[in-house]
């Protein structure tokens, strides 16, 4: 078994399988987001990973991490929470997150990508300037 040094697949999709959605404000409007990652070694062979602790949802455009968990002292309107570390229903590991926003989101839309850091500390992005370009777009309804 090789070390996790790269990825051959990195994508983000809504749990409905779509790339766009609209949601109501607050926790009841949480949207499921699924990240699919195929970890590989230096030779491009798939490797098994026990944990995806170094995976985070990011702003697709500027690559800043989404705030994890809602904190009333934080003024960031968009936040996420990991629901499942990973599923093995398919051959490619998946991580499920929920994304929510406060009742007064500014801006009212958000494009979301993903950042992955491998066990060898290589970082890969699914973002506007990243190697991968998969993203989801969420519009907050007031």
């Amino acid at each position: 078994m090789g070390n996790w040094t790269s990825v051959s697949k990195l994508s983000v999709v809504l749990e409905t399988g779509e790339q766009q959605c609209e949601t109501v404000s607050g926790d009841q409007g949480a949207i499921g987001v699924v990240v699919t990652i195929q970890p590989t070694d230096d030779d491009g062979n798939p490797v098994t990973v026990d944990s995806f602790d170094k995976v985070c949802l990011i702003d697709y455009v500027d690559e800043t991490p989404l705030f994890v968990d809602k904190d009333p002292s934080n003024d960031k309107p968009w936040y996420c929470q990991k629901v499942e570390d990973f599923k093995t229903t398919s051959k490619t590991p998946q991580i499920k997150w929920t994304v929510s926003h406060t009742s007064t989101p500014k801006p009212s839309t958000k494009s979301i990508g993903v950042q992955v850091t491998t066990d060898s500390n290589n970082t890969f992005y699914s973002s506007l300037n990243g190697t991968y370009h998969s993203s989801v777009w969420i519009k907050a309804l007031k």
Side-chain angles (χ1 to χ4, degrees):
M1 179 168 98
N3 284 336
W4 181 22
T5 60
S6 190
V7 294
S8 63
K9 179 177 184 171
L10 181 59
S11 69
V12 58
V13 66
L14 299 171
E15 68 182 339
T16 61
E18 299 171 315
Q19 296 300 130
Q20 298 182 24
C21 73
E22 295 181 346
T23 181
V24 296
S25 297
D27 293 332
Q28 66 272 35
I31 299 296
V33 173
V34 177
V35 173
T36 304
I37 303 169
Q38 181 56 70
T40 61
D41 62 17
D42 284 333
D43 297 323
N45 299 314
V47 295
T48 301
V49 176
D50 293 330
S51 174
F52 290 101
D53 291 337
K54 298 179 186 176
V55 174
C56 66
L57 297 182
I58 60 172
D59 182 288
Y60 181 77
V61 177
D62 67 16
E63 297 178 349
T64 57
L66 260 64
F67 189 65
V68 179
D69 297 326
K70 185 177 180 180
D71 181 350
S73 67
N74 192 305
D75 64 349
K76 296 187 188 292
W78 294 91
Y79 56 97
C80 62
Q81 183 174 33
K82 191 183 289 190
V83 178
E84 294 180 49
D85 194 16
F86 62 95
K87 297 181 186 181
T88 56
T89 56
S90 68
K91 291 183 180 184
T92 307
Q94 296 178 324
I95 305 165
K96 184 176 177 185
W97 298 77
T98 57
V99 174
S100 303
H101 52 86
T102 61
S103 59
T104 56
K106 292 176 185 160
S108 62
T109 60
K110 189 69 155 175
S111 291
I112 298 170
V114 63
Q115 173 186 319
V116 175
T117 303
T118 67
D119 289 342
S120 61
N121 288 322
N122 295 327
T123 303
F124 297 89
Y125 296 89
S126 179
S127 65
L128 184 63
N129 293 312
T131 304
Y132 299 87
H133 298 283
S134 177
S135 68
V136 293
W137 179 84
I138 300 173
K139 179 178 181 180
L141 302 176
K142 298 177 183 180

